Amino acid sequence: MYCIGFLFFFLSIVNKHKPWIETSYHGVITENLDTVLLDPPLVALDKDAPVPYAGEICSFKLYGQEVPFEAVVLNRTSGEGVLRASRPVDCESQKEYTFIIQAYDCGAGTSGADWKKSHKAVVHIQVDDVNEFCPVFREQLYKASVIEGKIYDSILQVEAWDQDCSPQYSQICNYEIVTGGTPFAIDRNGNIRNTERLSYDKQQNYKITVTAFDCGQKRAKEDVAVHIDVKPVCKPGWQGWNKRVDYEPGTGSKQLFPRMHLETCGGPLSGVRAMVELQTNHIGKGCDRETYSEKSLQKLCGAASGSTDLLPAPSPSTNWTASLLTDSGRDSDLIYRFDGHQAANVPDHVVPQNLTDQFTIATWMKHGPSPGLRAEKETLLCNSDKTEMNRHHYSLYVHNCRLVFLLRRDFTQVDTFRPAEFHWKLEQICDKEWHYYVINVEFPAVTLFVDGVTYEPYLVTDDWPIHASKIDTQLTVGACWQGGEVVTPRFTQYFRGSLSGLTIRPGRIETQKVISCLQACKEGLDINSLESLAKDIKFHFNPAQSVLVVEGEDVDSINTAMTKVSYINSRQFPTPGLRRLHITTTVQCFGEDTCLAIPDIKAVVMVLPPSEPRITITGSNRLIRPAGDVQGQQGVAPFKELHITSTVMKGDSFNGCEPGVMELMHNLDYCDILVIGEELNPERESLEIHHNALLGKHLDATNSTSGISIYGVDSMAHYEQAVRQVHYRNWRPATLSERRFRLTCSELNGRYTSNEFNLEVSLSSLRHTSDFYSSLLVLLSTPPFILYLFRCFASSFPGPAPPAATVVIVVCIAALVVIVVIGVYRIHATHQEGSREDEDEVKDSEVDWENSALTITVNPMEKREEEEEEEDEEQVGGMTSAESDNSGEDEDEEEERGGRELKGKLEWNSSSVTY
């Protein structure tokens, strides 16, 4: 017991001091390495030294959460130690570490018992960075815009960053523009500026490349692109529109400005007003209208019939316009141009003779200011005395840009002042544009319509009535006829301008609905998707839809509305070429009338050429019929096999080598059947179409000795049906050798015309074929003819006829009679079948005599018999029209007479008989 106590006391005396270390340490370690440099060095001291164990340091212990370090004793006697990383240290994960360290001595003996520990010291470790990362730009592409002519301190700033943890390697110390020769510079903070004034006209955009360096001079792995747009100096106006818009016919409505917007340069606005104008004054009569004939247009619009066209297309029956100048460059619009030297007298049979208190005069007119301070009268239409006197009964003329209508009627009951001159003063009369003028006369009231708008006369003057006289009058166009009070009759008061579609309709006035239809335009402006427009948008069109006004308070709403403005042309074959567009804009600011000047826009719509149709007329070119068919009550239908088709070249076929052909259905407006050669003689022949053939169709027809004209806007099928029912009749076929006709059809008043289809009508080679064969059969059956044949054969033999020859003669005669009977039956059956086909209006049969097995030679007889035949033919040729109507009743008598005439004219050609 005493020994144990002594040992404890001895040990306590030996290890009586604690180890000692510094109170704090600061260390540095480079990332990815394990050595820590401490300041001060890690050394533990113990005052028990040099006593073994008690004065020695056995270990260092670290206290902290997940400390990645460990302390190792290098020398137990001196107490030196080292601090190192137990696992790799990453600066980017943690830059600093703080933990507690304590030193432990070895105790009092080998067992390590009774060890003592030092106080706690704080250790601060800083992780040194390694430049292992490259700079990276924060954006993949930088964009900016500048205004031309301006120097910027900074256009835009590029920015790069580095993942390294230290300021040395994580900071970007420099930027550099890689692209050479650019007018830009960049500073160390990434600000890009321009070094010279940029010009929009010289270059609209720049593309440069920029790189970055960190403070360790490590370059960015990937450079960055910078796009800089140069904008012109902000000028208020419309942007995003094209100067030309192509329009393909048949595509309906097409947007004109789909990406259009108004640049206001940021100014506050209170309202915007834009006016879009479609200028088509160079197209036809002011815009793309249907170019059908005036009569066809009137029928399309439902106008009353009975109008007289005073300026028709020149033709054999309407030749008074042949000497006038026509404007052929207006899409086949029939336009007459008067230069102050041309005029035309309208034939008396064309002039309406029954003008009452109600009638209508209508015309298209294009007129400009007259030369001189005091211009002369320019007459469009004038009805004056043909001889002796110079009285103007009614006229329409222009004087000093005023339209004047003169009407002096023959008043036989009341001899007082009456309204005589009606004056209108309008800008349209001298604006050099096309306008449609209609004068409705309901005497004493006269109303003028210009482009469908009503105008009352501003001045009406009275005059004495014209006393009735027996002097004929002359109606003229383009001037006034002065037939009396002068030595030489002449024209006077010439018109200078252009006219088209000048008509007079007696007995009725035209309705406003028809007037609007006649001057309607087929092209114009339109707005798509009206329901999508903002509520504050207001818009309105003019009657012709050539002017559109859009108003609104918000610029965005105006921009949306303008993108929906469209062009439309409803014609199947529109006039190709340019249409000009003009946009004027007014901008209002708060408290001011106008604050921004918006430049006008001038653009064009290019209407592309349509696929032109090819109208083709096909059928039989020759019609051969017996005289009886031509002479019959119905005559013959020359065009019963007619076909009218229309095709267009449409694109390319699938192999890309040959163009494709597509049949096109559209309307025609006239078909003319003209007589080639001598005109029809109404005393013996006629070419006519029955009124029933036109029922249910929009067609009319006119007839003359020159032919037939079928007109009206209708389908090709209806025209084909009508032309097939045209009949030719000649009730004196003895005078007919052949008749030739020419058929042509037109679409859009001659813009597209068909081929010229020629057809010849002629009689069969033998006239009155069935009558002839009947007479021939009677002649051959008579005993004298048989005896005559027998004697001919007998005379060929010098002696008595042998029995064999007699048998041959009898057989030949019998065979001849059988052949004649069969031929007569075939001809009669063919004739009957052809007559039935005419009555049922089916295809005519043709009799082909050239292939007949029967050969008959008809020889002329002596001169006396020929003279008798000519007298008979003259008698038939002189038959009147009334007599021709009864020709069917006398048919039997004519057949008998024809048989008697043929009897004495036949001579048998014996050379054709063999025996």
Side-chain angles (χ1 to χ4, degrees):
M1 187 72 176
Y2 174 80
C3 292
I4 295 174
F6 177 79
L7 179 61
F8 177 79
F9 174 79
F10 174 80
L11 290 177
S12 300
I13 295 174
V14 173
N15 191 14
K16 64 178 182 180
H17 296 96
K18 298 178 180 179
W20 177 89
I21 57 176
E22 297 289 342
T23 59
S24 64
Y25 293 89
H26 292 275
V28 176
I29 184 173
T30 302
E31 62 178 344
N32 302 325
L33 298 179
D34 61 354
T35 302
V36 179
L37 299 178
L38 281 179
D39 183 26
L42 182 60
V43 177
L45 301 176
D46 196 324
K47 291 182 178 182
D48 292 325
V51 178
Y53 301 109
E56 295 177 341
I57 303 301
C58 279
S59 66
F60 294 95
K61 291 187 178 181
L62 305 181
Y63 300 94
Q65 189 174 2
E66 297 182 0
V67 177
F69 298 98
E70 61 180 359
V72 178
V73 178
L74 296 179
N75 192 320
R76 297 174 59 179
T77 302
S78 62
E80 295 180 58
V82 64
L83 190 65
R84 58 189 180 189
S86 60
R87 61 177 184 269
V89 179
D90 187 7
C91 178
E92 285 73 34
S93 298
Q94 189 167 344
K95 295 181 180 180
E96 295 181 350
Y97 293 90
T98 300
F99 52 89
I100 303 298
I101 188 171
Q102 279 183 315
Y104 289 80
D105 60 16
C106 294
T110 57
S111 63
D114 195 25
W115 49 264
K116 293 184 180 296
K117 57 183 178 181
S118 69
H119 60 271
K120 294 180 180 179
V122 178
V123 181
H124 295 280
I125 303 297
Q126 179 180 345
V127 182
D128 280 352
D129 187 22
V130 176
N131 195 7
E132 57 183 334
F133 294 100
C134 299
V136 177
F137 285 95
R138 296 191 180 276
E139 303 289 341
Q140 294 182 349
L141 174 66
Y142 289 90
K143 292 183 179 181
S145 60
V146 297
I147 302 299
E148 63 175 346
K150 183 178 179 181
I151 297 294
Y152 288 82
D153 293 333
S154 177
I155 298 175
L156 78 159
Q157 183 182 19
V158 297
E159 185 180 2
W161 66 287
D162 198 309
Q163 295 185 33
D164 291 314
C165 64
S166 64
Q168 180 182 1
Y169 299 134
S170 65
Q171 292 184 0
I172 307 301
C173 286
N174 191 25
Y175 291 92
E176 183 179 320
I177 295 177
V178 179
T179 307
T182 60
F184 299 98
I186 190 169
D187 61 16
R188 61 185 305 166
N189 295 320
N191 294 304
I192 299 176
R193 59 183 176 84
N194 57 321
T195 58
E196 61 184 52
R197 300 183 187 276
L198 304 179
S199 172
Y200 176 82
D201 296 331
K202 181 179 179 181
Q203 188 169 346
Q204 287 83 30
N205 56 74
Y206 293 87
K207 296 180 180 180
I208 61 176
T209 303
V210 175
T211 190
F213 296 89
D214 61 18
C215 293
Q217 293 303 304
K218 197 162 190 175
R219 180 174 173 171
K221 185 176 181 180
E222 294 184 1
D223 300 336
V224 70
V226 179
H227 293 177
I228 299 177
D229 294 331
V230 180
K231 291 186 177 182
V233 176
C234 184
K235 298 177 181 178
W238 292 102
Q239 297 181 3
W241 54 278
N242 295 324
K243 293 184 178 180
R244 168 173 166 166
V245 179
D246 289 340
Y247 180 81
E248 184 175 353
T251 56
S253 180
K254 181 172 183 178
Q255 289 178 268
L256 296 174
F257 316 107
R259 292 176 296 275
M260 187 177 189
H261 64 278
L262 181 62
E263 177 62 61
T264 60
C265 298
L269 308 177
S270 61
V272 179
R273 181 181 187 270
M275 182 174 70
V276 185
E277 182 180 3
L278 179 67
Q279 299 173 343
T280 58
N281 53 357
H282 62 294
I283 303 295
K285 294 193 239 80
C287 80
D288 214 1
R289 294 180 169 90
E290 295 291 7
T291 56
Y292 293 115
S293 63
E294 193 65 27
K295 286 186 177 180
S296 298
L297 283 176
Q298 290 178 358
K299 197 169 186 66
L300 276 177
C301 293
S305 60
S307 64
T308 301
D309 189 358
L310 302 181
L311 286 176
S315 69
S317 60
T318 57
N319 57 3
W320 71 88
T321 60
S323 62
L324 300 178
L325 298 177
T326 58
D327 194 344
S328 59
R330 300 291 185 181
D331 184 29
S332 300
D333 242 346
L334 191 57
I335 294 173
Y336 291 92
R337 182 164 52 87
F338 297 86
D339 61 359
H341 300 88
Q342 290 85 25
N345 283 326
V346 181
D348 292 340
H349 70 275
V350 177
V351 178
Q353 302 296 330
N354 56 342
L355 289 184
T356 61
D357 289 343
Q358 285 190 342
F359 61 92
T360 297
I361 298 177
T363 185
W364 286 93
M365 181 179 73
K366 179 181 179 181
H367 182 265
S370 304
L373 297 177
R374 190 66 179 174
E376 297 181 353
K377 295 179 180 179
E378 299 180 47
T379 302
L380 287 74
L381 179 68
C382 180
N383 183 267
S384 59
D385 290 334
K386 184 177 293 188
T387 58
E388 300 182 26
M389 303 181 70
N390 191 31
R391 300 176 301 174
H392 293 186
H393 295 258
Y394 62 87
S395 66
L396 180 65
Y397 61 90
V398 175
H399 190 208
N400 291 324
C401 292
R402 291 166 173 81
L403 186 66
V404 182
F405 176 62
L406 171 68
L407 179 61
R408 298 186 67 192
R409 304 292 300 277
D410 297 339
F411 292 103
T412 57
Q413 298 179 355
V414 181
D415 192 8
T416 59
F417 264 21
R418 291 297 181 96
E421 280 190 342
F422 304 84
H423 300 250
W424 294 272
K425 183 179 180 181
L426 303 172
E427 295 181 357
Q428 295 92 318
I429 297 172
C430 288
D431 64 358
K432 298 182 180 180
E433 304 290 346
W434 280 104
H435 299 285
Y436 188 54
Y437 298 83
V438 178
I439 295 178
N440 275 346
V441 177
E442 288 183 292
F443 195 82
V446 176
T447 305
L448 172 67
F449 293 84
V450 181
D451 298 331
V453 180
T454 307
Y455 295 92
E456 297 294 333
Y458 80 95
L459 176 64
V460 178
T461 58
D462 297 338
D463 202 349
W464 291 104
I466 294 179
H467 296 285
S469 66
K470 296 182 179 181
I471 301 176
D472 294 333
T473 60
Q474 177 64 59
L475 183 62
T476 56
V477 177
C480 206
W481 179 254
Q482 189 173 4
E485 302 177 358
V486 291
V487 178
T488 303
R490 59 185 177 87
F491 288 110
T492 185
Q493 299 177 5
Y494 283 98
F495 178 69
R496 293 176 176 85
S498 297
L499 297 176
S500 179
L502 178 59
T503 61
I504 294 181
R505 174 177 287 106
R508 295 186 63 177
I509 62 172
E510 203 57 270
T511 64
Q512 189 165 8
K513 180 180 179 180
V514 173
I515 294 172
S516 299
C517 176
L518 290 173
Q519 60 95 33
C521 190
K522 292 293 183 177
E523 64 179 338
L525 299 173
D526 192 16
I527 289 186
N528 292 335
S529 304
L530 293 176
E531 63 278 0
S532 63
L533 296 181
K535 295 182 179 180
D536 64 323
I537 291 295
K538 300 178 182 178
F539 66 92
H540 57 87
F541 293 92
N542 67 333
Q545 286 198 207
S546 61
V547 178
L548 167 63
V549 178
V550 180
E551 296 179 284
E553 299 177 356
D554 181 63
V555 176
D556 292 336
S557 299
I558 288 289
N559 291 337
T560 302
M562 292 297 288
T563 59
K564 298 182 182 300
V565 177
S566 304
Y567 169 82
I568 188 170
N569 195 318
S570 60
R571 286 188 66 185
Q572 188 174 20
F573 305 109
T575 306
L578 294 176
R579 274 75 164 164
R580 295 179 178 85
L581 288 168
H582 188 203
I583 301 179
T584 56
T585 309
T586 303
V587 176
Q588 294 182 341
C589 296
F590 294 96
E592 301 179 24
D593 293 336
T594 58
C595 55
L596 292 178
I598 306 298
D600 292 354
I601 285 180
K602 293 183 179 180
V604 295
V605 177
M606 173 60 77
V607 178
L608 302 178
S611 298
E612 297 190 356
R614 181 179 180 181
I615 307 171
T616 305
I617 303 175
T618 58
S620 176
N621 295 98
R622 185 175 177 84
L623 179 66
I624 305 175
R625 296 302 302 268
D629 294 354
V630 179
Q631 188 180 4
Q633 189 70 26
Q634 295 293 330
V636 295
F639 302 99
K640 293 195 72 171
E641 299 181 0
L642 180 81
H643 293 283
I644 304 176
T645 58
S646 178
T647 56
V648 295
M649 306 300 291
K650 200 68 174 178
D652 295 334
S653 60
F654 65 92
N655 56 13
C657 297
E658 298 180 358
V661 178
M662 182 180 69
E663 187 167 348
L664 179 68
M665 300 302 296
H666 59 91
N667 293 330
L668 301 177
D669 56 359
Y670 71 79
C671 283
D672 287 341
I673 302 175
L674 299 179
V675 178
I676 302 177
E678 183 180 355
E679 294 188 358
L680 297 174
N681 188 340
E683 295 183 357
R684 60 172 181 264
E685 58 184 340
S686 67
L687 184 68
E688 56 190 21
I689 181 171
H690 198 273
H691 177 69
N692 292 336
L694 305 177
L695 293 178
K697 305 177 179 67
H698 300 291
L699 299 177
D700 285 323
T702 58
N703 198 347
S704 69
T705 57
S706 301
I708 286 180
S709 179
I710 303 174
Y711 61 90
V713 180
D714 211 333
S715 65
M716 290 185 295
H718 280 179
Y719 265 94
E720 187 177 279
Q721 295 171 8
V723 174
R724 287 182 177 183
Q725 298 184 58
V726 173
H727 285 76
Y728 171 70
R729 182 187 177 209
N730 191 315
W731 49 92
R732 297 178 185 175
T735 63
L736 176 66
S737 59
E738 64 180 20
R739 259 299 175 200
R740 291 184 298 151
F741 303 99
R742 176 173 297 160
L743 170 64
T744 57
C745 295
S746 159
E747 161 72 339
L748 295 176
N749 200 25
R751 177 178 174 184
Y752 304 116
T753 57
S754 69
N755 58 309
E756 294 183 347
F757 178 77
N758 296 318
L759 182 140
E760 180 179 312
V761 177
S762 60
L763 299 182
S764 303
S765 58
L766 294 177
R767 291 175 296 132
H768 305 286
T769 308
S770 59
D771 298 340
F772 168 76
Y773 270 96
S774 299
S775 301
L776 180 61
L777 180 60
V778 174
L779 177 63
L780 295 178
S781 302
T782 56
F785 183 77
I786 297 176
L787 181 61
Y788 173 77
L789 290 178
F790 183 82
R791 289 177 179 177
C792 281
F793 282 104
S795 63
S796 302
F797 298 93
T806 303
V807 173
V808 171
I809 292 173
V810 173
V811 172
C812 290
I813 293 174
L816 179 62
V817 172
V818 171
I819 292 173
V820 170
V821 171
I822 294 175
V824 170
Y825 174 77
R826 290 179 60 188
I827 295 301
H828 179 71
T830 303
H831 173 66
Q832 293 291 7
E833 182 180 356
S835 300
R836 286 194 301 268
E837 289 177 350
D838 281 343
E839 294 174 0
D840 298 336
E841 296 182 356
V842 294
K843 187 180 298 183
D844 295 325
S845 300
E846 296 182 9
V847 181
D848 188 3
W849 290 96
E850 297 177 358
N851 298 327
S852 176
L854 179 63
T855 303
I856 300 176
T857 304
V858 181
N859 293 330
M861 304 302 288
E862 53 271 357
K863 183 177 181 180
R864 178 183 58 81
E865 294 174 343
E866 292 179 353
E867 292 175 354
E868 291 177 359
E869 181 184 6
E870 290 175 358
E871 291 176 1
D872 293 337
E873 289 179 352
E874 289 174 0
Q875 183 178 1
V876 174
M879 183 169 53
T880 63
S881 300
E883 293 170 344
S884 67
D885 294 337
N886 300 324
S887 60
E889 300 175 0
D890 302 331
E891 186 175 354
D892 296 335
E893 298 178 5
E894 290 178 1
E895 290 178 357
E896 294 177 2
R897 184 171 64 250
R900 290 193 297 271
E901 291 172 356
L902 288 172
K903 281 184 180 180
K905 299 179 182 180
L906 301 178
E907 178 180 351
W908 187 263
N909 188 357
S910 60
S911 62
S912 63
V913 180
T914 58
Y915 55 91

